[in-house]
Amino acid sequence: MKELSLNILDVAKNSVVAGAENVIISLFTDADGILTLTIKDDGCGMTEETVKNVTDPFYTTRTTRKVGMGLPLLKLAAEQTGGYLKLESSKAEHDHGTTVIAVFDTKSIDFMPIGDIISTICILIAGSPEIDFEFSDITDKREVRLHTTELKAVLGEDISLAEPEVQTWMSEYLSEQYNEQ
């Protein structure tokens, strides 16, 4: 993948498939240019064996194909910048879910561009409007946030977050926050 936003889309889609009701996507870049991407969900979680093997491109739990490239590519992208990938998951009855943490040095020549993160977040929400998404992108110069629970509280039950007008508003809302630097 040539953009980090596509990795985010792929990993967050796994959260959706895992039955998550809540997905938190956060980007935090510190003053030294270290970017920490965290994707956390309350989906079904993974077994210890799956956690150990999931970054192997030839290991997958899918039955439709024999390879799974999302996490292996994210791990490679992080490591190429001097960073790393950390994965935590639990299948416990009352404490299940998965957390993926990828750390990147944005000053590295191998750091891939973030890409169209606004479209990525809007696509995720439109594709699964019943899920509560929480997005943040924080640096020392700006804070960009979008929480679907807040939108649902304002819009009520009758208006889906997948509606074109809502999608347009979300895109513009995120764009305004990014442009307020």
Side-chain angles (χ1 to χ4, degrees), residues 9 31 35 40 43 46-48 53 61 66 68 117 121 135-136 142 144 158:
L9 181 63
L35 168 65
K40 181 177 181 168
M46 293 184 270
T47 65
E48 286 182 36
N53 294 306
T61 57
K66 296 184 191 270
I117 192 69
I121 297 305
F135 170 72
S136 62
R142 66 162 156 60
V144 176
D158 296 335

Side-chain angles (χ1 to χ4, degrees), residues 99-143:
T99 302
V100 175
I101 300 169
V103 176
F104 303 84
D105 183 349
T106 63
K107 298 180 305 297
S108 169
I109 193 168
D110 293 316
F111 178 69
M112 67 175 66
I114 291 182
D116 190 356
I117 192 69
I118 294 172
S119 291
T120 294
I121 297 305
C122 290
I123 287 167
L124 283 166
I125 294 168
S128 301
E130 72 284 358
I131 295 176
D132 288 322
F133 287 92
E134 181 178 324
F135 170 72
S136 62
D137 185 352
I138 300 170
T139 70
D140 58 344
K141 294 181 171 52
R142 66 162 156 60
E143 287 190 24

Side-chain angles (χ1 to χ4, degrees), residues 47-120:
T47 65
E48 286 182 36
E49 178 188 352
T50 301
V51 170
K52 279 193 322 191
N53 294 306
V54 76
T55 57
D56 176 350
F58 299 103
Y59 177 86
T60 184
T61 57
R62 295 180 187 210
T63 57
T64 55
R65 57 184 167 157
K66 296 184 191 270
V67 294
M69 297 301 287
L71 287 172
L73 287 175
L74 183 60
K75 179 181 182 211
L76 177 64
E79 289 176 347
Q80 284 180 327
T81 71
Y84 61 89
L85 179 84
K86 180 179 175 185
L87 183 65
E88 299 171 349
S89 192
S90 171
K91 289 186 76 63
E93 185 176 340
H94 298 290
D95 184 28
H96 50 82
T98 300
T99 302
V100 175
I101 300 169
V103 176
F104 303 84
D105 183 349
T106 63
K107 298 180 305 297
S108 169
I109 193 168
D110 293 316
F111 178 69
M112 67 175 66
I114 291 182
D116 190 356
I117 192 69
I118 294 172
S119 291
T120 294

Side-chain angles (χ1 to χ4, degrees), residues 149-161:
T149 53
E150 295 171 358
L151 295 176
K152 290 175 183 178
V154 171
L155 295 172
E157 296 177 14
D158 296 335
I159 300 175
S160 170
L161 297 182

Side-chain angles (χ1 to χ4, degrees), residues 1 3-12 39 70 73-74 112:
M1 293 187 203
E3 296 179 345
L4 190 55
S5 62
L6 297 175
N7 289 101
I8 293 168
L9 181 63
D10 184 66
V11 173
I39 302 173
L73 287 175
L74 183 60
M112 67 175 66

